[in-house]
Structure formats: C-alpha cells, structure tokens
Amino acid sequence: MNEIKLINNIKNILNSKYIGDDCAYLKDLGIVVSQDSLVENVHFNKEMMTPYQTGYKSIMANLSDIAASGAKPCYITISISIPKDVSEEDINEYYEGCKFALKDLDVEIVGGDITGADKLFISICVIGKTEGRKISSRSNAKVGHKIITSGVHGSSAAGLEILMDDLEPDKDLIKAHLMPTAQLDFSKQIAEQIEEDYAMMDTSDGLIDALYKIGVASDCTMSVDFERILYDPKIKEYFENYEDLIFYGGEDYQLVATVPVELLPKLKNYTIIGEVIPKEDCVIKLNYDDRVEKINNIDKCYNHFK
C-alpha cells in the first residue's frame, strides 16, 4: 500500500477540495484545522522517550503542521488511548509535557477523549486562525521563487540513530529528536508579509519529502544546491550516510517555503537552498559540486505501509 496513493484515493472518493495540504483551510470560518496521530512503536518508543518528552513532542509535531500553513495556532484537543501498562502518573507526566510545549504560546488545550487500548495511541487536533495571514498551499510554488528553509536538517534522524544503536551520546542531536521546536516565528514572518501565493511545508517526513510534494503539486522542478543546506557537522562524524539523514531522515520539524525574491529582505533567519525552475525530467534536481542527481520518487522517505 502506498500512502500518497491512498490519500489521493480518499480525496477522490470524498470529492474534497480541502484534502492535500498539511491543514484544511476553511476560508469561510477563517481557520485551518490539522489532525495528526502518534502510535506507540511507530512514532515513539517508551523505552527511549519519557511520557513528558512524548507529550512535548506530540504537541510540537502538530503545531508544525499549523506553522506550515502560515496560520496562528489557537486551540488543541487531545484524544488518548491508554493500555494497562501505562500508569496514571505516566499520563499526568504526558500532559505536563504538553503544557510545557505551550508555555510561551497563546494556545490552549480545550478538550479531547480518553479510552482504553492495547497500545498507547495519541490523536491531536489543532485549530489555527488565519486573520492577517496569507495561507500557503503545496500547489503555489512558482517558477522564479527562491526555495528557503528554516534551521538545520538531519539532526533529529541522527539523534534517533544514536538512541537506537546505543552510540556515544551527543546531547544536541538527541535533544533535536526528543524535544524539537515548531517553527512558528519563521511561518509568521512569511505569512504576515507576503502578498502573492506561496508554497510551504514542514519537514516532518524529510526534506526531500517536502520538496517533492511541493514540486508535484505545483507541476515544477525544485532545483536545490546541496552545499547551501545547513546541517550539524557532527552528523558526518557519526554517520557515513549523513546525506541520507539530511535529506530523508525527517522529524526536524523545519519549514520549506517558496517565495518571491522581493520578500527576502523582509525576512530573518532563513537559508536559500535553491530555486523553482520550469518542469524538467525530474521533480527534484540536486546539484552537487561534481554531479547532478535527479529525483522522481520518494521511495527512500518514510512510508507507514512499507
């Protein structure tokens, strides 16, 4: 089963104009809505993450979807299914982590649901306001747009590998995996200042995943220069396949956006990694000093149904 094909099938069956981006943009209500789920031993492992860290990360992962839309997050509901081996203290700690994730934000948890289950299952819905902001869509990349990103890539995947393989700990890389930060400020400065349509996605499933989905939805080629992409140099010390971690690792929760060059002087803390070009024989064109790699699928990215 293929995740992208399954989503497209559902979209066609429902004949929905809303399915396709990280959030559903309900223009008539002035809101965006995002729903995301985390499943034990799929999205998190209780042996490697405390309940507090799980709570914190589950909130940040969902806020990242709102950030990708350009909206301002406002309200959250949490549904949690609890197995018998999870204690009341664990659940209390989980919600303390959720609370900490929101401590500097004007965002409130307003409800949810609690059930029993065979494993821990968390489903979170976030509602964001769109007032005063221009909302993004994957299909809005335009030829000539610069491709910009927030932050560094590959750190979360490197941290996960260190934890899984019991390698020499690196606190920065491990923290990048366990305690990521949604890029709400990066999103805000674009959404409040841009005037034309633009594309933006988060890199929860990998940098290549975001670039590819924008390229396909916008029917263009994403030309990217590897040397411009920021990453922690310690990744090269740990892993020979560091490029794969940077491109395909995921869970960095950074943002990728395509914006007109005229907007750049108004922005802070961004990195230009490439440009949107007319459609060629590939969706992503990776430019290295000595070679060009053409990418036409995301088979190396995470797929729930592999």
Side-chain angles (χ1 to χ4, degrees):
M1 191 178 295
N2 180 282
E3 184 177 354
I4 295 177
K5 185 174 185 295
L6 185 59
I7 292 171
N8 286 334
N9 288 346
I10 294 169
K11 181 177 181 177
N12 291 334
I13 290 170
L14 298 178
N15 192 28
S16 173
K17 64 181 180 180
Y18 298 105
I19 297 173
D21 285 306
D22 291 298
C23 297
Y25 176 24
L26 308 181
K27 191 173 182 179
D28 56 326
L29 299 180
I31 63 172
V32 298
V33 180
S34 175
Q35 179 88 32
D36 210 2
S37 300
L38 295 91
V39 181
E40 180 183 347
N41 296 329
V42 176
H43 299 94
F44 64 92
N45 185 315
K46 289 188 292 187
E47 300 301 316
M48 291 191 297
M49 296 181 69
T50 66
Y52 185 92
Q53 291 167 336
T54 304
Y56 175 92
K57 187 172 181 178
S58 66
I59 292 295
M60 282 298 173
N62 282 270
L63 292 179
S64 186
D65 281 340
I66 299 295
S69 77
K72 177 188 182 300
C74 294
Y75 301 108
I76 294 174
T77 61
I78 302 175
S79 294
I80 186 165
S81 300
I82 307 168
K84 293 180 180 178
D85 64 341
V86 174
S87 68
E88 182 178 331
E89 290 72 21
D90 289 336
I91 299 303
N92 291 344
E93 189 179 335
Y94 169 82
Y95 277 93
E96 288 292 341
C98 294
K99 182 179 177 181
F100 180 74
L102 299 173
K103 68 181 180 68
D104 295 323
L105 302 173
D106 184 21
V107 181
E108 187 175 358
I109 298 171
V110 296
D113 189 29
I114 297 176
T115 67
D118 294 330
K119 64 171 63 175
L120 190 58
F121 182 95
I122 301 159
S123 186
I124 296 178
C125 176
V126 187
I127 297 172
K129 290 182 180 179
T130 66
E131 183 180 4
R133 301 194 181 199
K134 194 165 183 65
I135 301 305
S136 72
S137 174
R138 298 177 188 180
S139 61
N140 283 343
K142 303 291 190 297
V143 172
H145 275 187
K146 296 298 182 183
I147 304 170
I148 64 173
T149 65
S150 62
V152 300
H153 283 88
S155 297
S156 177
L160 176 60
E161 292 289 335
I162 289 170
L163 290 170
M164 291 180 63
D165 296 339
D166 199 23
L167 303 177
E168 181 180 348
D170 181 282
K171 61 181 180 63
D172 294 328
L173 296 177
I174 291 173
K175 182 180 180 182
H177 179 67
L178 296 179
M179 303 285 282
T181 301
Q183 301 301 305
L184 295 171
D185 288 340
F186 182 90
S187 168
K188 179 176 184 287
Q189 64 173 328
I190 293 175
E192 287 188 344
Q193 297 183 88
I194 197 165
E195 295 181 359
E196 66 178 73
D197 290 341
Y198 68 107
M200 188 157 64
M201 276 190 67
D202 79 352
T203 59
S204 55
D205 291 325
L207 179 57
I208 287 293
D209 172 87
L211 292 167
Y212 179 86
K213 287 176 178 174
I214 291 173
V216 169
S218 299
D219 197 31
C220 59
T221 290
M222 309 287 277
S223 180
V224 174
D225 299 324
F226 175 73
E227 296 302 324
R228 295 186 180 186
I229 298 170
L230 299 183
Y231 60 91
D232 189 327
K234 289 180 290 185
I235 297 175
K236 294 178 69 173
E237 300 173 13
Y238 275 90
F239 305 102
E240 291 184 2
N241 67 330
Y242 71 96
E243 290 184 11
D244 282 348
L245 297 179
I246 293 165
F247 284 130
Y248 300 100
E251 294 201 342
D252 287 304
Y253 297 105
Q254 300 296 335
L255 293 178
V256 177
T258 71
V259 300
V261 68
E262 295 80 15
L263 181 70
L264 297 179
K266 301 178 182 180
L267 305 180
K268 298 178 180 179
N269 302 320
Y270 66 89
T271 301
I272 301 172
I273 65 168
E275 185 172 346
V276 181
I277 63 175
K279 188 174 182 179
E280 296 187 356
D281 58 348
C282 59
V283 179
I284 303 172
K285 187 177 182 180
L286 285 183
N287 304 295
Y288 295 85
D289 286 342
D290 58 349
R291 71 186 193 280
V292 173
E293 181 181 351
K294 297 181 178 182
I295 297 178
N296 274 308
N297 62 66
I298 48 174
D299 292 344
K300 293 174 71 174
C301 291
Y302 182 76
N303 183 341
H304 286 279
F305 305 106
K306 278 185 179 178

